[in-house]
Amino acid sequence: MSDLSSIAILVPGRLHPHAIERIEGRFKLIVIDRADPALVTEEMAGKVRGMAAMTEVDAAFIDAFPNLEIIANFGVGYDAVDAAHAVRRGVMVTNTPDVLTDEVADTAVGLLLNTVRELPRAEQWLREGRWVREGAYPFSRASLRGRTVGIFGMGRIGQAIAQRLAAFGLPISYHNRRPVENCPYAYFDTLQGLASAVDTLICVAPGGAATNRAINAEVLEALGPDGVFVNIGRGSTVDEEALVSALENGTILAAGLDVFANEPHVPDALLDLRNVSLLPHVGSASVATRKAMAELVTDNLIAWFAQAKAITPVPEAAHLEPRLPASDRL
Ligand code: 8YV
């Protein structure tokens, strides 16, 4: 096992305890409260060669570390890291794909069912004693039966959701930047086109400039009065004000949301609505999956410094080579 104990790895803010433990066991761990250049001492700035983060890492913070080689992001979505800037600086960025795919897809299906069949509300009815006092919970207005599903973002998680919903007997279409090779589902080259063709839109798209507020008033209008919108991707992809109006006015029927524009804050207007099912960003949040993500974060750091390669580089960083050949590193 290579001796990596002289290599300083910075953790800005909170990180999964298993990742902290593994970093501490192999490297020199430095923890600071948050990713703020004002907290970086001169000594720390020179020493840090790697970073493991579950928080925003912007260009100014990256630039605070002249010897930084790798940012290992906790999460498959890495919109919080300025990856373009990191790559320009020759800094590797890794994320945590695959290990959470099935968990997030399972959650998406649960959230969809909660939304159309009002299961959390029905449970609340039972818990409040209303079944005894008032009788059966009212029939849910919506059903999954007969729905047509559109998936916005046919990546790994989108495909896992599609596979599940195909097994539920539902027809699937999708919109993506480009058609996915060997993908059996109907492709729409615009989000608007997809929304017009389906009544159930599931957003799995990554955050970032290209998808910012892509789910807007026009898309919701196209989804229509039977429309159900589910978001398991990033809150930034939705114009939340437009979504609230669409839910209030009956432009669409219902929504299920695991992600929000300004987490952990959820607008009161959404909390006040009856036709939404809300979750506090728990898509991947099981003990086992979060541990697997923590493992992959640290495996990326170890592979980078011990074997001169990243295990799961983000696409824009995949071409980057370590600054020193592996033989000169330790
Ligand atoms: C994590 C996620 O909760 O992987 C992602 O992109 O959104 C979640 O699995 C998040 O990244 C860390 O809080």
Side-chain angles (χ1 to χ4, degrees):
M1 215 160 58
S2 323
D3 179 16
L4 308 175
S5 59
S6 63
I7 297 174
I9 304 293
L10 179 75
V11 173
R14 281 169 10 88
L15 190 66
H16 192 288
H18 184 60
I20 296 278
E21 204 177 286
R22 286 191 82 211
I23 294 169
E24 205 162 24
R26 296 296 297 271
F27 298 94
K28 181 184 280 303
L29 169 69
I30 303 177
V31 178
I32 57 175
D33 276 355
R34 54 186 190 281
D36 178 352
L39 302 181
V40 180
T41 63
E42 208 170 302
E43 196 205 345
M44 196 193 299
K47 258 197 344 214
V48 167
R49 290 176 60 191
M51 198 186 290
M54 198 180 79
T55 186
E56 188 179 349
V57 177
D58 64 13
F61 195 63
I62 294 170
D63 287 343
F65 302 97
N67 299 316
L68 183 64
E69 294 177 47
I70 177 169
I71 302 167
N73 178 67
F74 186 97
V76 67
Y78 55 97
D79 47 306
V81 176
D82 191 337
H85 186 74
V87 170
R88 271 196 299 277
R89 280 257 335 260
V91 174
M92 169 54 72
V93 179
T94 63
N95 64 344
T96 62
D98 302 321
V99 293
L100 47 51
T101 300
D102 287 325
E103 195 79 73
V104 177
D106 292 347
T107 311
V109 172
L111 181 55
L112 173 61
L113 277 166
N114 281 353
T115 308
V116 293
R117 295 300 326 285
E118 306 170 19
L119 300 179
R121 249 173 216 292
E123 179 167 350
Q124 209 178 345
W125 180 273
L126 176 155
R127 286 180 183 279
E128 287 171 356
R130 297 180 70 181
W131 193 12
V132 175
R133 287 198 313 274
E134 300 174 45
Y137 180 77
F139 302 149
S140 64
R141 276 198 295 169
S143 166
L144 205 54
R145 297 302 95 214
R147 290 202 160 267
T148 54
V149 176
I151 295 183
F152 173 31
M154 194 52 100
R156 298 173 179 88
I157 298 171
Q159 289 173 48
I161 295 171
Q163 213 177 35
R164 282 158 175 73
L165 294 180
F168 277 56
L170 307 179
I172 317 277
S173 330
Y174 72 103
H175 168 65
N176 219 38
R177 270 170 305 178
R178 56 191 92 82
V180 175
E181 239 175 271
N182 299 322
C183 184
Y185 314 111
Y187 175 71
F188 285 82
D189 59 5
T190 66
L191 180 54
Q192 184 90 12
L194 177 69
S196 308
V198 301
D199 57 23
T200 306
L201 182 63
I202 303 180
C203 175
V204 203
T211 58
N212 195 38
R213 290 171 173 248
I215 312 286
N216 56 23
E218 291 74 43
V219 169
L220 295 166
E221 181 83 42
L223 192 56
D226 269 335
V228 169
F229 171 63
V230 168
N231 195 2
I232 194 86
R234 280 289 179 267
S236 61
T237 58
V238 178
D239 177 342
E240 274 181 357
E241 272 176 39
L243 177 62
V244 167
S245 305
L247 288 161
E248 280 172 352
N249 303 337
T251 306
I252 67 168
L253 186 66
L257 309 172
D258 184 48
V259 288
F260 303 88
N262 181 29
E263 296 174 8
H265 305 286
V266 177
D268 284 341
L270 275 175
L271 295 171
D272 289 344
L273 284 167
R274 280 189 54 88
N275 51 345
V276 287
S277 187
L278 304 171
L279 293 176
H281 199 150
V282 294
S284 66
S286 70
V287 169
T289 295
R290 284 295 172 85
K291 189 171 179 197
M293 291 162 70
E295 197 98 357
L296 186 50
V297 165
T298 38
D299 282 350
N300 267 299
L301 293 171
I302 294 167
W304 185 256
F305 289 109
Q307 291 148 28
K309 66 173 178 51
I311 300 169
T312 48
V314 303
E316 51 272 60
H319 65 282
L320 289 182
E321 297 285 341
R323 285 178 202 169
L324 293 172
S327 52
D328 295 351
R329 297 175 69 77
L330 296 171

